[in-house]
Amino acid sequence: RFLIAAHLSRASDIIRTIRDPEKPNTLEELEVVTENCVEVQEIGEDEYLVIIRFTPTVPHCSLATLIGLCLRVKLQRCLPFRHKLEIYISEGTHSTEEDINKQINDKERVAAAMENPNLREIVEQCVTEPD
Amino acid sequence: PLSPLSPGSGWACRAVLSDAHTRTVRRVAWSPCGHYLASASFDGTTCVWKRHEDGFEVVATLEGHENEVKSVAWAPSGTLLATCSRDKSVWVWEVDEEEEEFECVSVLSAHTQDVKHVAWHPSLQLLASASYDDTVRLYREDEDDWLCCATLQGHGSTVWGLAWERSGQRLLSCSDDRTLRLWQRCDTQGQGSGSEQSWQCVCTLSGYHGRSIYDVAWCHLTGAVATACGDDAVRVFEEVMPASP
């Protein structure tokens, strides 16, 4: 139980400082992610399922998928424990949320997207911690 | 534990073919004759390599898909090749073995989303495709043109993989919905009964896999079925036969 709380806190810390792709603010400042948007479940010995539900600021489709990508990339790189990741748009916040959720959780789509140099550049800028 | 079958003394890397593709290589497939290797890439192309004693040489670059090619498969006859892509289409290519030329004979756009995988029937010229649109589709040649002759619906999410039974009578599909589905043809086996075929899902294996099932393989020797799952496990299934009376 203590571990779950610790992992949850760690995940929150990782995502709150991600920068919005368009605005000069963090996802926390824009309330795209909050303390309550992270859920952690134990799914095996020393393995945890991390679920993120984020709220995009505008209903723009490509921006939502981009934020989803940033969340996935940073968590995958920074979470120090064995995990599986699910990222969703919080319910009722977007007209095409099913479509977006499917895209951002399809590992082949994600891998192919990250090979796009322009997209990769934007994601890197959003997830890199300032010195 | 199983003992190894005649172990060799190791493996040697014979070739590194790094100049043909400009992005991730997603799938490779040997031709039935063994002389050719096809490689499907996110760069939108599929290369066909010929095997020589001293290495491999590109004999054809199949272009046309608008974005990432996800899979390539040779028909057992060796005369046909199929490719599929995120561009929602399946392409069928005819192989001219003598000229080593490949001609696209059909572009099939039946799916409404990315096509993840293609698999040829073991003995008939029947092609199956698996898609992000949650369906499996079947295609066959009808008077010089290819058409979609069946749509298998039932999965609740992306279909990632396919495996035909040795006899070709049944087809397995695996999905992001964490189930395996077994499909069987249910209309009369007559060829001339219109272009449509009827297939039904005769079995759904659910509750076994913890996350998306990315691949399924059906052994043509033993009938055993293996799955690749996002929960880090490999599973093997066998059909349980009813006890003889």
Side-chain angles (χ1 to χ4, degrees), chain A residues 31-75:
Chain A
E31 291 184 319
V32 172
V33 299
T34 62
E35 267 177 34
N36 299 325
C37 81
V38 184
E39 187 188 337
V40 175
Q41 297 170 18
E42 189 172 358
I43 54 175
E45 199 168 320
D46 292 331
E47 192 177 9
Y48 299 84
L49 172 62
V50 176
I51 304 174
I52 310 288
R53 292 182 180 83
F54 72 100
T55 310
T57 48
V58 291
H60 201 276
C61 200
S62 57
L63 200 56
T65 48
L66 193 47
I67 292 174
L69 204 54
C70 292
L71 287 163
R72 180 169 293 277
V73 168
K74 194 169 184 199
L75 284 164

Side-chain angles (χ1 to χ4, degrees), chain A residues 43 47 49 82 84-86 88 99 102-109 111-113 115-116, chain B residues 23-24 26 42 68 70 86 113-114 116 132-134 157-158 160 178 211 214 230-232:
Chain A
I43 54 175
E47 192 177 9
L49 172 62
R82 194 164 159 223
K84 296 293 180 185
L85 201 49
E86 284 172 15
Y88 303 109
D99 292 344
K102 194 169 185 176
Q103 279 187 61
I104 60 187
N105 289 294
D106 180 308
K107 66 193 319 169
E108 189 169 44
R109 280 270 191 125
E115 286 186 3
N116 176 321
Chain B
R23 280 185 61 183
T24 285
R26 180 65 180 89
F42 279 5
E68 303 94 60
K70 309 291 195 186
R86 179 166 64 87
Q113 291 281 9
D114 319 8
K116 297 292 200 184
Y132 184 100
D133 71 9
D134 308 352
S157 190
T158 298
W160 281 102
R178 309 176 186 187
R211 297 191 68 73
Y214 292 108
D231 65 6
D232 308 348

